[in-house]
């Protein structure tokens, strides 16, 4: 296992310790949450833990089902006790960029209704200012691509239509994603409201004031940001 992978595993497994019996648990998406889901699956299968998971993507739904975790929907469980999710950037105020895995829309809905949101990542995701390492994913209505792209490029350096395997990437919700490059995002709240005011923008990857705790796996062990 590579160093980066070990750090993800460290953070992912640590987060599972915050899950208590009987909880409704939001299950994020990505390669770090993978380790949390595997750990939770082990605890469920050994009978130590009884939880209902609310998945944030089709990939997470599949993985959690394979691990024997019982799943529910927001219709059945409109309030979530704890969500564990990854991030592409984490700043010192626990503001985040998310969505490089393409699941930002469902992840943000789940974060909104979660009493507690724990973010897990390897230490390379920690930043002083958002937008300095990762692009900002913006999910848009496919119909609106030609109209929205130039509007986004008034706000960022470049908005690049995400592709996968040579084809336009389509989210679980049937939408496209434009990855917006910035030097840095100095005023994330202002940017978020400007993005939300563009017709055709479905959601953006700024997660502001949604996380309560970040667990980072580093070469020196775990680093906790509160
Ligand atoms: C998916 C996300 C992921 O949480 C984020 O991309 C981090 O993923 P990983 O743990 O694989 O680095 O926001 O939409």
């Amino acid at each position: 296992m590579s160093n980066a992978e070990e750090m993800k595993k460290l953070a992912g497994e640590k987060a599972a310790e915050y899950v208590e019996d009987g909880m409704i648990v939001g299950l994020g998406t990505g390669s770090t949450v993978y380790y949390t889901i595997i750990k939770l699956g082990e605890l469920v299968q050994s009978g130590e833990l009884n939880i209902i998971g609310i998945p944030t993507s089709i990939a997470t739904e599949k993985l959690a089902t394979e691990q024997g975790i019982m799943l529910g929907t927001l219709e059945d469980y409109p309030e979530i006790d704890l969500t564990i999710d990854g991030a592409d950037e984490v700043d010192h105020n626990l503001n985040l960029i998310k969505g490089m895995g393409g699941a930002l829309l469902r992840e943000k809905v789940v974060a909104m209704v979660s009493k507690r949101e724990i973010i897990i990542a390897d230490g390379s995701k920690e930043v002083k200012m958002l937008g300095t390492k990762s692009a900002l994913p913006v999910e848009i209505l496919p119909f609106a691509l030609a109209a929205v792209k130039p509007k986004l490029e008034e706000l960022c350096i470049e908005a690049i239509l995400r592709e996968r395997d040579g084809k336009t990437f389509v989210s679980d919700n049937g939408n496209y994603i434009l990855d917006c490059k910035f030097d840095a995002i100095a005023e994330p709240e202002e940017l978020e409201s400007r993005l939300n005011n563009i017709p055709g923008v479905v959601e953006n990857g700024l997660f502001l004031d949604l996380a309560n705790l970040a667990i980072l796996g580093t070469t020196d062990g775990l680093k906790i940001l509160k």
Side-chain angles (χ1 to χ4, degrees):
M1 195 182 276
S2 72
N3 240 356
E5 213 50 39
E6 270 176 23
M7 288 188 258
K8 289 182 192 185
K9 187 166 188 274
L10 195 65
E13 291 186 346
K14 179 70 186 173
E17 293 177 16
Y18 290 78
V19 177
E20 293 168 17
D21 199 37
M23 275 185 168
I24 309 301
V25 183
L27 301 172
T29 296
S31 56
T32 316
V33 168
Y34 167 86
Y35 292 107
T36 309
I37 295 174
I38 296 294
K39 189 76 202 167
L40 291 176
E42 283 170 17
L43 295 169
V44 165
Q45 284 172 45
S46 67
E48 285 169 71
L49 198 64
N50 186 13
I51 57 169
I52 308 264
I54 309 292
T56 54
S57 63
I58 294 170
T60 290
E61 183 179 339
K62 184 170 178 286
L63 177 64
T65 304
E66 286 165 1
Q67 303 312 309
I69 299 173
M70 205 155 56
L71 298 180
T73 65
L74 286 180
E75 278 68 38
D76 299 328
Y77 304 99
E79 193 174 64
I80 294 172
D81 295 307
L82 168 66
T83 289
I84 299 170
D85 204 348
D88 302 298
E89 285 188 354
V90 185
D91 77 7
H92 292 178
N93 295 318
L94 290 185
N95 288 327
L96 320 167
I97 284 182
K98 285 183 49 54
M100 291 312 287
L104 65 147
L105 175 55
R106 296 189 194 190
E107 289 173 336
K108 209 165 185 175
V109 173
V110 165
M112 177 180 69
V113 296
S114 296
K115 289 187 212 157
R116 205 155 180 236
E117 172 105 356
I118 295 181
I119 295 303
I120 49 176
D122 68 79
S124 71
K125 307 282 185 76
E126 186 181 359
V127 293
K128 288 210 172 87
M129 205 184 258
L130 294 179
T132 46
K133 283 191 183 172
S134 173
L136 174 67
V138 177
E139 182 157 346
I140 65 154
L141 200 67
F143 168 81
L145 174 62
V148 168
K149 188 171 167 358
K151 288 286 172 203
L152 292 180
E153 285 177 337
E154 288 172 16
L155 302 174
C156 70
I157 298 167
E158 197 182 5
I160 300 167
L161 182 63
R162 189 178 298 182
E163 295 191 351
R164 185 180 281 172
D165 302 327
K167 291 189 190 134
T168 302
F169 173 82
V170 178
S171 76
D172 287 353
N173 317 297
N175 295 319
Y176 292 166
I177 291 182
L178 285 163
D179 289 310
C180 298
K181 294 199 169 173
F182 292 83
D183 285 331
I185 299 173
E187 294 184 34
E189 290 84 5
E190 160 81 10
L191 177 63
E192 183 171 42
S193 85
R194 291 180 77 174
L195 291 170
N196 289 339
N197 276 335
I198 301 172
V201 166
V202 180
E203 194 46 88
N204 67 81
L206 285 169
F207 281 51
L208 309 179
D209 219 9
L210 286 171
N212 306 100
L213 186 81
I215 302 174
L216 306 178
T218 77
T219 40
D220 300 327
L222 287 171
K223 180 171 179 184
I224 309 282
L225 303 179
K226 287 186 185 172

